[in-house]
């Protein structure tokens, strides 16, 4: 605790503030607008008072549960009304479209460019994802306007303060080890290595064994290139929901 408290007490200054108070509501509204746009692109009639029989909706496939969740979200926000076994479009009108709302949010929060870029990229192609025409991973890990998921998880406004905080905590812990003592670190769900880069920079490479793990090995080739100048770094598949000793 004495390692964490001094760092944690200063972190809210980096990630909070009155200017950000409205950001979650803005992002929620943008996600809602993208959702409605996606359903319209998929052929759902979203004109006022239109009615759908729920048992006739085509919701099979790998994204059926997600589609139901999104429909329930629209119902909770008042855009859809539940009438017996039907869903009815309410008279609640969208005040804007995705493109205009994105520009409004970006003008107010330009330092959240990475977050907004990923949200808009996924939102614009949501209908194709839900209909199985586009793999969502292709959107998440695409290169667009200089923004990738790698940048998002490593240096974006949402993640950078936490990455720095964790790196500082690990550095303090390492400094307390006896001289010459080996440090062994297991990172679970390392993914693109966004946190890894910050933590490695705070560690002595000559006496650190670092285990970069993820449930999927698809991240390993990129991480090997990214950290090829670092010392002992091992890449291991690990599903933490299973007994580690069996893996």
């Amino acid at each position: 605790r004495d390692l964490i408290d001094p760092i944690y007490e200063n972190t809210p200054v980096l990630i909070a503030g009155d200017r950000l108070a409205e950001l979650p509501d803005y992002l929620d509204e943008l996600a809602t607008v993208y959702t409605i746009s996606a359903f319209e692109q998929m052929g759902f009639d979203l004109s006022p008072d239109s009615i759908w029989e729920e048992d006739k909706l085509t919701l099979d496939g790998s994204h059926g549960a997600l589609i139901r969740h999104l429909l329930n979200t629209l119902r909770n926000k008042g855009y859809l009304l539940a009438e017996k076994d039907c869903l009815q479009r309410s008279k609640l009108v969208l005040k804007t479209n995705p493109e205009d709302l994105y520009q409004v949010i970006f003008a107010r929060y330009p330092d959240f460019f990475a977050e907004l870029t990923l949200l808009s990229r996924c939102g614009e192609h949501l209908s194709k994802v839900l209909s199985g025409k586009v793999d969502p991973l292709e959107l998440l890990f695409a290169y667009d306007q200089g923004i990738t998921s790698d940048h998002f998880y490593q240096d974006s406004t949402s993640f950078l303060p936490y990455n720095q905080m964790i790196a500082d905590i690990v550095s303090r812990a390492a400094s307390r080890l006896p001289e010459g003592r080996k440090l062994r670190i297991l990172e679970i769900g390392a993914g693109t290595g966004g946190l890894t880069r910050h933590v490695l920079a705070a560690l002595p490479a000559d006496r650190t064994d670092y285990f970069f793990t993820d449930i999927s090995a698809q991240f390993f080739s990129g991480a090997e290139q990214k950290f090829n100048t670092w010392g002992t770094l091992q890449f291991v598949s690990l599903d933490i929901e299973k007994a580690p000793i069996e893996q």
Side-chain angles (χ1 to χ4, degrees):
R1 188 182 182 90
D2 60 329
L3 291 172
I4 299 175
D5 286 349
I7 299 172
Y8 181 77
E9 288 172 0
N10 294 323
T11 302
V13 176
L14 299 174
I15 61 177
D18 293 339
R19 189 180 69 85
L20 301 182
E22 297 178 343
L23 180 58
D25 291 335
Y26 271 121
L27 296 179
D28 184 64
E29 182 180 2
L30 182 57
T32 300
V33 174
Y34 275 129
T35 299
I36 291 177
S37 176
F39 281 129
E40 289 176 335
Q41 293 172 28
M42 294 170 66
F44 286 73
D45 181 6
L46 288 177
S47 58
D49 297 325
S50 59
I51 297 177
W52 315 329
E53 293 182 38
E54 287 196 74
D55 60 353
K56 292 185 178 180
L57 295 177
T58 304
L59 301 179
D60 296 330
S62 58
H63 300 302
L66 176 57
I67 293 176
R68 289 188 179 88
H69 170 75
L70 293 174
L71 289 172
N72 285 333
T73 298
L74 294 181
R75 184 176 61 185
N76 293 336
K77 291 180 178 296
Y79 289 100
L80 294 177
L81 304 174
E83 298 290 341
K84 296 183 178 180
D85 295 327
C86 299
L87 290 175
Q88 180 177 352
R89 176 69 167 93
S90 71
K91 290 181 169 55
L92 190 62
V93 178
L94 288 175
K95 300 177 182 179
T96 185
N97 58 64
E99 294 76 16
D100 289 345
L101 182 56
Y102 173 89
Q103 293 300 327
V104 169
I105 301 174
F106 177 67
R108 186 172 176 81
Y109 304 100
D111 43 341
F112 283 85
F113 180 60
E115 291 85 341
L116 291 170
T117 297
L118 283 177
L119 177 56
S120 65
R121 181 193 302 160
C122 294
E124 290 171 359
H125 296 87
L126 180 58
S127 64
K128 295 180 180 178
V129 170
L130 295 177
S131 59
K133 297 178 181 178
V134 171
D135 183 346
L137 292 179
E138 295 178 1
L139 301 175
L140 291 173
F141 297 101
Y143 183 88
D144 181 20
Q145 301 184 68
I147 297 300
T148 64
S149 57
D150 188 21
H151 170 75
F152 173 69
Y153 288 116
Q154 180 174 302
D155 297 316
S156 70
T157 304
S158 297
F159 280 86
L160 182 58
Y162 297 105
N163 290 340
Q164 293 175 330
M165 179 177 68
I166 295 172
D168 287 344
I169 292 171
V170 173
S171 177
R172 289 187 178 215
S175 68
R176 296 188 178 188
L177 290 176
E179 186 176 353
R181 174 75 177 272
K182 200 77 169 180
L183 181 64
R184 307 184 75 207
I185 293 182
L186 171 69
E187 182 179 357
I188 299 172
T192 62
L195 171 61
T196 312
R197 179 175 289 280
H198 290 276
V199 173
L200 290 180
L203 294 174
D206 60 336
R207 58 189 184 95
T208 300
D209 288 335
Y210 201 101
F211 295 85
F212 183 106
T213 76
D214 199 277
I215 191 173
S216 172
Q218 67 176 345
F219 297 105
F220 294 167
S221 61
E224 288 175 351
Q225 296 179 21
K226 187 175 183 179
F227 305 116
N228 62 357
T229 60
W230 210 79
T232 306
L233 196 62
Q234 299 185 48
F235 300 90
V236 182
S237 296
L238 175 65
D239 182 352
I240 199 58
E241 294 187 358
K242 300 178 182 178
I245 197 171
E246 297 177 357
Q247 302 179 66

